Amino acid sequence: MAQVSATECDICKEDIGKVFCYECRHFLCKSCNSWHEKFPATKRHTITDSHSVDRFTLMLKLVCTDHNLQFAYYCRDSGCLICAQCVTSLHKGHSITDIVDIAAESREVVKKRLSTIQINIENLENLIEAFKTTKQTKLQTDTDNFIKEINEISQDLTNIIETVTEINLTQVSDCHALEKHLLLYSLAKLEKSYCEYKSLHERCKQVLKEKHDVSFFLIQESLIKEFELLDDIPLLEEPKEITHFKRDDFVDLIVNAMEDRQQTVSTMDKQVEGLQGENEKRIKYLEYKTHVLEQKLKKEQKDAIIIKSELERKERTLQTVVKQRDKEQRLKEEERKQKEEACMRLSAIAGDNDPGITDLGDPNRPMKIAEKFTEMYDNDWTDSMEALEDLDLGEEECVKILLHFLTGSYEECGRLVAELDSHILKGVTISTCEQDINEYGDNNLQGRKFPGELLKPIKDLRMKMTQNNVEKLQKKLPAYLMKTRNITEKHITACSKFVANCIKNVWRMQIQDPPVYIECDFPRDTKIDTDILRSYTKAGDRVDFIVWPVLYLHKGGPVLYKGVVQPKSGN
């Protein structure tokens, strides 16, 4: 668009016109435009920047030529702009449209046309780009391929000609070498004969000069013999003539070689076409499979999205359920702990006055001791039996040794606990003589009439010293057992684990108040009481020997663990 160069203001003629009024057809400076916008007659005029005004705009006539009034309407019947007076005169009864509406319609048409033009411009740009790149590239590529093929064929022809030429030259060269060799051989034979005859000729001439007859005769006799020995003059064969170069044969060889090559190329082209056909089939098949797999993948992706949504929903539900369950478990756990604490407090209070009631807070309570006692028989006792049997001891002898370990440890621990109780009692009571102590009975806590609040700390102290006392007993008690029982160091070594656990468990039995009681006194041939005893490896109703003692809560109390006896055979 040809823009108008800067021009002066049409009103003041002083400043440069900054804007243009379409109705006044004037360029206005900034000052004049401010007044122009204030006058009622001109303030609604259309103003635009002077730089955007086209020269063609200045040439347009914006008024009616008949009435010299500005165009305000459009006559659809006549297809032209008209003024207000034309509506009632020349164009009366025509289809009239306001200039604003027709301008809006025209703007839409121009916008559509602009879109079409823009599309055409883009297409032209693409075509130009294609011509600059693709077309030129294709042209250059085709030209290069053509030149390449020409050069390849030319090179092939050159190679064929050179090959045929080399074959012919080789044949001629070989023929020439052979014939030359034959000629040289014949020449050598002739030269040899020539030399022999020449020599004989000279000697014959010389012998004629001999004047002594006898000498002459003898010499000529020898010459005769030499003459007879001379070879005949060889007859030379004419050398074979080199065949004249046959142009037609040479060309035929070249043509035949070219035809062979062309046939080979044709065969290869057919093979390539066949392979291309197979490849196209494979490509189509793969494209089909790809399409099927893509459809399947899309379906699976949709299913996966649905499953994921369902899983997320279920996970949220599960989390809610888990939170609710955890909350319920915490409440149940708190309730259980409260119940246990209450039971422990009640059992501790009741246990101070009744030995049949167990303190549930005590880890060394009789039920726990019974469990350890059972484990010791099931595990340690069995292992020790095998170890003793490896020492070539009989079954009953092995059982007696293990029983000695148990009963000896139990009795000695009982004595030591009584001694410990005696020391504790002496430490907390005042006595003037030994008889004062005996007024209370045995030297242990059992039977003592002390207040409960005093006995409990004493029992707790005895319990707390368990670990320390057990470690000392495990070191010293085996030596005591070897002195007092029929036990050797070899037996203790074989049953070391059983001995250690035996000492630990019987000490815990003895420090109970009252002590946990074991019974081993079951004489031979007595009837087996199945309420407190069970059979070892045989069946019967009479005792042969005791294997494992009965465990009672206390002496005369309920059974915690049945004893084991070996019945007599044949009952």
Side-chain angles (χ1 to χ4, degrees):
M1 182 175 67
Q3 294 180 343
V4 178
S5 59
T7 182
E8 64 180 10
C9 177
D10 291 326
I11 304 299
C12 65
K13 306 294 183 180
E14 294 178 358
D15 294 331
I16 300 299
K18 298 293 184 181
V19 296
F20 177 76
C21 177
Y22 284 93
E23 285 77 6
C24 299
R25 309 292 290 175
H26 289 157
F27 285 97
L28 304 173
C29 65
K30 187 175 182 181
S31 177
C32 294
N33 182 48
S34 63
W35 289 103
H36 182 272
E37 291 177 347
K38 292 178 181 179
F39 287 110
T42 59
K43 67 179 182 179
R44 297 185 182 278
H45 286 188
T46 305
I47 303 297
T48 187
D49 188 90
S50 61
H51 294 90
S52 63
V53 178
D54 190 356
R55 291 183 183 274
F56 181 72
T57 303
L58 299 177
M59 297 171 62
L60 293 175
K61 291 183 178 182
L62 305 180
V63 295
C64 176
T65 56
D66 295 328
H67 306 101
N68 199 26
L69 296 175
Q70 288 188 352
F71 292 124
Y73 302 97
Y74 176 76
C75 179
R76 294 186 180 275
D77 294 339
S78 301
C80 62
L81 294 173
I82 60 176
C83 65
Q85 194 170 346
C86 290
V87 174
T88 58
S89 59
L90 298 175
H91 297 272
K92 185 178 180 180
H94 290 185
S95 177
I96 306 300
T97 303
D98 191 271
I99 188 64
V100 176
D101 296 334
I102 195 65
E105 293 178 5
S106 299
R107 289 181 189 279
E108 293 299 323
V109 172
V110 171
K111 287 181 181 179
K112 292 180 180 179
R113 188 180 299 116
L114 185 63
S115 300
T116 304
I117 293 172
Q118 181 63 34
I119 293 172
N120 291 335
I121 289 172
E122 292 176 357
N123 292 334
L124 288 170
E125 288 177 350
N126 293 332
L127 288 173
I128 292 170
E129 184 66 23
F131 270 98
K132 287 182 178 180
T133 57
T134 308
K135 299 293 183 181
Q136 288 183 355
T137 303
K138 185 176 183 304
L139 179 62
Q140 185 63 41
T141 302
D142 293 342
T143 303
D144 293 341
N145 290 336
F146 184 83
I147 294 172
K148 182 181 178 182
E149 291 179 1
I150 290 294
N151 290 332
E152 288 178 353
I153 293 173
S154 176
Q155 186 63 40
D156 290 342
L157 292 174
T158 302
N159 292 336
I160 291 171
I161 293 171
E162 289 178 354
T163 302
V164 174
T165 301
E166 184 67 24
I167 292 171
N168 282 273
L169 291 176
T170 302
Q171 290 177 351
V172 170
S173 177
D174 293 342
C175 182
H176 172 266
L178 179 61
E179 293 301 324
K180 182 178 180 181
H181 177 73
L182 293 175
L183 286 174
L184 291 175
Y185 177 73
S186 299
L187 178 61
K189 288 176 66 177
L190 289 174
E191 288 178 347
K192 179 183 177 184
S193 297
Y194 173 78
C195 292
E196 290 176 349
Y197 277 101
K198 185 71 175 175
S199 175
L200 186 59
H201 179 266
E202 291 295 329
R203 291 171 65 188
C204 287
K205 286 172 63 178
Q206 188 66 28
V207 78
L208 289 175
K209 295 178 181 181
E210 181 63 47
K211 294 180 178 181
H212 188 263
D213 294 334
V214 175
S215 298
F216 170 78
F217 181 79
L218 292 173
I219 293 171
Q220 68 86 25
E221 283 291 329
S222 63
L223 291 175
I224 290 172
K225 291 180 180 179
E226 289 182 10
F227 179 76
E228 291 176 352
L229 293 174
L230 287 175
D231 294 331
D232 296 334
I233 296 174
L235 298 175
L236 298 178
E237 295 181 1
E238 291 294 330
K240 294 181 180 179
E241 294 183 359
I242 301 298
T243 306
H244 292 291
F245 176 71
K246 296 180 180 180
R247 186 183 301 273
D248 294 339
D249 293 344
F250 182 77
V251 173
D252 290 340
L253 288 173
I254 293 173
V255 171
N256 291 334
M258 292 176 63
E259 289 177 351
D260 292 340
R261 183 188 177 283
Q262 184 62 33
Q263 186 175 1
T264 303
V265 171
S266 299
T267 303
M268 293 178 66
D269 289 341
K270 290 180 180 179
Q271 292 176 352
V272 170
E273 289 177 359
L275 292 174
Q276 287 178 345
E278 292 179 0
N279 287 336
E280 288 177 357
K281 291 180 181 179
R282 290 178 182 176
I283 290 171
K284 289 181 180 179
Y285 174 74
L286 291 175
E287 288 176 349
Y288 168 74
K289 293 293 290 183
T290 303
H291 176 71
V292 172
L293 291 174
E294 286 177 350
Q295 296 298 322
K296 186 177 180 181
L297 178 61
K298 289 179 180 178
K299 183 178 180 301
E300 290 180 351
Q301 286 176 342
K302 291 181 181 178
D303 295 341
I305 292 171
I306 295 172
I307 293 171
K308 183 180 179 181
S309 301
E310 184 66 19
L311 287 175
E312 290 176 351
R313 185 185 65 79
K314 290 184 177 180
E315 185 176 359
R316 290 193 295 270
T317 305
L318 180 61
Q319 289 176 353
T320 304
V321 173
V322 169
K323 288 180 181 178
Q324 185 66 25
R325 186 198 63 186
D326 292 342
K327 183 178 179 181
E328 292 176 356
Q329 286 181 347
R330 285 195 299 271
L331 293 174
K332 288 181 180 179
E333 184 66 18
E334 291 175 0
E335 184 179 354
R336 185 186 64 79
K337 288 181 179 179
Q338 291 174 359
K339 287 182 179 180
E340 286 184 355
E341 290 175 358
C343 290
M344 288 180 182
R345 288 196 298 271
L346 290 173
S347 63
I349 295 170
D352 292 338
N353 301 317
D354 188 352
I357 299 176
T358 304
D359 183 3
L360 298 178
D362 184 8
N364 295 319
R365 60 185 181 272
M367 288 305 298
K368 289 291 183 181
I369 293 173
E371 291 176 5
K372 297 293 183 182
F373 191 73
T374 304
E375 291 176 3
M376 186 170 65
Y377 174 71
D378 292 338
N379 300 322
D380 300 335
W381 186 88
T382 304
D383 295 339
S384 298
M385 279 289 292
E386 293 177 356
L388 291 174
E389 288 174 353
D390 291 340
L391 299 177
D392 296 330
L393 299 176
E395 181 184 58
E396 186 174 355
E397 187 176 0
C398 294
V399 169
K400 287 181 179 179
I401 291 172
L402 296 177
L403 199 59
H404 285 323
F405 280 135
L406 179 61
T407 56
S409 300
Y410 182 81
E411 292 171 1
E412 181 62 15
C413 286
R415 187 187 68 78
L416 293 173
V417 169
E419 183 178 336
L420 178 63
D421 288 348
S422 176
H423 289 304
I424 294 173
L425 291 173
K426 287 179 181 180
V428 298
T429 59
I430 299 174
S431 61
T432 56
C433 61
E434 190 174 350
Q435 286 78 7
D436 292 337
I437 297 175
N438 292 331
E439 290 177 1
Y440 296 99
D442 297 332
N443 290 338
N444 56 28
L445 297 180
Q446 186 178 2
R448 292 290 185 173
K449 297 179 181 179
F450 288 104
E453 62 271 14
L454 180 61
L455 287 176
K456 190 173 188 311
I458 295 174
K459 290 190 287 184
D460 291 343
L461 177 62
R462 194 168 61 180
M463 290 291 183
K464 289 179 181 179
M465 295 297 293
T466 297
Q467 184 63 30
N468 185 44
N469 292 332
V470 166
E471 291 177 357
K472 291 180 179 179
L473 288 171
Q474 287 174 339
K475 294 178 181 179
K476 296 181 179 180
L477 199 56
Y480 169 79
L481 294 175
M482 286 192 292
K483 291 180 181 179
T484 59
R485 304 281 176 167
N486 188 21
I487 296 173
T488 65
E489 186 175 358
K490 187 185 296 185
H491 297 157
I492 292 176
T493 303
C495 308
S496 58
K497 185 177 179 182
F498 175 79
V499 173
N501 287 332
C502 188
I503 293 170
K504 179 170 65 175
N505 288 323
V506 297
W507 176 261
R508 289 175 176 174
M509 294 178 191
Q510 290 289 5
I511 62 176
Q512 299 297 315
D513 189 24
V516 175
Y517 181 69
I518 61 173
E519 183 181 6
C520 301
D521 187 15
F522 297 99
R524 192 183 296 271
D525 289 332
T526 58
K527 187 173 179 61
I528 297 175
D529 185 358
T530 56
D531 291 335
I532 61 173
L533 296 171
R534 56 192 177 92
S535 299
Y536 179 46
T537 59
K538 298 178 182 179
D541 59 356
R542 295 288 174 178
V543 176
D544 187 7
F545 58 87
I546 181 72
V547 176
W548 194 249
V550 183
L551 187 69
Y552 295 93
L553 179 62
H554 53 82
K555 190 172 183 179
V559 175
L560 294 177
Y561 184 75
K562 286 185 178 183
V564 181
V565 294
Q566 181 72 294
K568 294 184 69 174
S569 301
N571 291 337

